[in-house]
Amino acid sequence: MSALITGIGAGSPAEKAGIRTGDRLLSINGHEIDDVLDYRFYAAEKRICVRVARDGVEREFTVRKGEYEDPGMEFETYLMDSHHSCRNNCIFCFVDQMPPGMRESLYFKDDDARLSFLFGNYITLTALSEKEIQRIIDMHISPVNISVHTTNPELRVKMMRNRFAGESLKIMDRFYGAGIKMNCQIVVCPGYNDGAELIKTVRDLAAMYPCVESIACVPVGLTGYREGLTPLWPFDKSLAVKTLNIIEELQMEFYHEKGSRIVYPSDEFYLLAERELPGDEWFEEYPQLENGVGMLTLFEKQFDEALESMPDLIPDRNIAVATGEAAAGMINGLVDKACKKWHNLRCRVFTVKNEFFGGGVTVTGLITATDIIKTLSGSLDGQEELLISESMLRHGETVFLDDISVEELEGRLSIRVVTVENDGAVLAEAFAGAGNGRGGRE
């Protein structure tokens, strides 16, 4: 396999060695390069031998650089080949519940180990080839983020609707034997993998501690677009309380035996159960933030620490904040703290109900511009700015999931929109009119 080199960084080690745009990368230090993981691993040394094909002729170049310095070669895609798609048809898949008519790329289901290492994506293991499994072991790439859901092979086949889903659990045993670190995710579906099945799954995974560093339990997310899909029902308060009790008992057991809680319920479970979120120390090193575990607690801690250190005087401010239903209580509390410190701050919080996705979707990250417009139109009263979380936008873009841009939202509401990083300290700075908030017209 070869990868087309589409660019060479000016002044880079690759350029100095004589490698050119249009060459095809064949190997580094004798190792064939299939994708970005091979490239990063084998190009880490200070001196590398790069073999390329140019005009049908193979050539070798010696590249001298700093250890772990990128040689400076650019490729057609970040991964150096195409994304690996998911081979499952999970009964709880969120992509299957998305509204019709959205951008085609949003319906793509990835199950790519490379994205697990590079960006923290979770994989099911069912798409891994033997070559990829062995590469992870040989390179000792850690951690691997795994969507487990259940350690009952038959139940995993039923939930993921893939006849290899149960067999692929054995890959975790191989990773454990090789000392590969793993973070695990369980999407809990009432009537399937909750109750006794959840206890079994968590105990099975915790038995592989410390290789299994953490386990996140997340309630199944159901939208209003489930026609023709497997019947599922959402968590209510009673079910959330029962599940929290199970997880907390296991946490106490593991903490006593192993010195770590290992398993964590997502913040959503506490909100559904109408229970207070645990304090900062409960989440140890926050190993599962991407699954919403301890996110609200950490956010509030960041906000409080920043607020305390900020000046007592700020310019007059009259602003608005849009948030999802799940975080609304916390955001209102933070606004109260800020207004007590700064008496010339006026801040109105708008709780946006997610009608675009429907169902029980309440997280801020899935709020669309369509629903913001529905909620805020005609309700703004002299506010100079609208603060939104950048989690509402597609990664690296200024566009919401409904294809409306931040700039268009500004035009529809006649207000400057400032996107705020998902960090409590940054929100405190945005309240004061300082920091790294980004406006759509900037």
Side-chain angles (χ1 to χ4, degrees), residues 284-348:
E284 299 176 30
E285 296 182 0
Y286 290 95
Q288 289 275 2
L289 280 173
E290 64 274 22
N291 275 312
V293 174
M295 185 177 290
L296 297 180
T297 298
L298 178 61
F299 195 94
E300 186 165 7
K301 176 188 176 184
Q302 293 167 336
F303 183 92
D304 290 345
E305 291 176 349
L307 189 67
E308 185 177 353
S309 66
M310 295 178 74
D312 291 331
L313 295 175
I314 63 169
D316 290 349
R317 300 273 288 155
N318 183 9
I319 61 176
V321 180
T323 184
E325 293 176 283
M330 179 195 70
I331 296 297
N332 275 291
L334 301 185
V335 167
D336 288 344
K337 293 178 184 179
C339 289
K340 287 179 182 177
K341 181 180 179 73
W342 299 310
H343 297 294
N344 58 338
L345 169 67
R346 293 173 59 198
C347 183
R348 184 176 177 187

Side-chain angles (χ1 to χ4, degrees), residues 100-156:
M102 300 173 69
R103 190 187 299 185
E104 186 176 347
S105 61
L106 296 176
Y107 299 100
F108 180 80
K109 307 176 189 179
D110 77 73
D111 196 8
D112 199 319
R114 284 97 44 100
L115 298 178
S116 178
F117 306 130
L118 297 171
F119 302 117
N121 292 23
Y122 278 71
I123 60 173
T124 66
L125 305 176
T126 59
L128 281 182
S129 66
E130 178 58 35
K131 181 179 180 181
E132 289 173 311
I133 296 168
Q134 196 58 50
R135 178 172 69 170
I136 292 169
I137 292 171
D138 292 343
M139 293 183 177
H140 205 80
I141 303 174
S142 289
V144 184
N145 296 326
I146 303 173
S147 291
V148 179
H149 309 312
T150 176
T151 53
N152 177 334
E154 293 77 20
L155 179 57
R156 197 167 196 252

Side-chain angles (χ1 to χ4, degrees), residues 10-21:
S12 67
E15 183 186 59
K16 292 174 182 177
I19 300 171
R20 301 176 187 169
T21 297

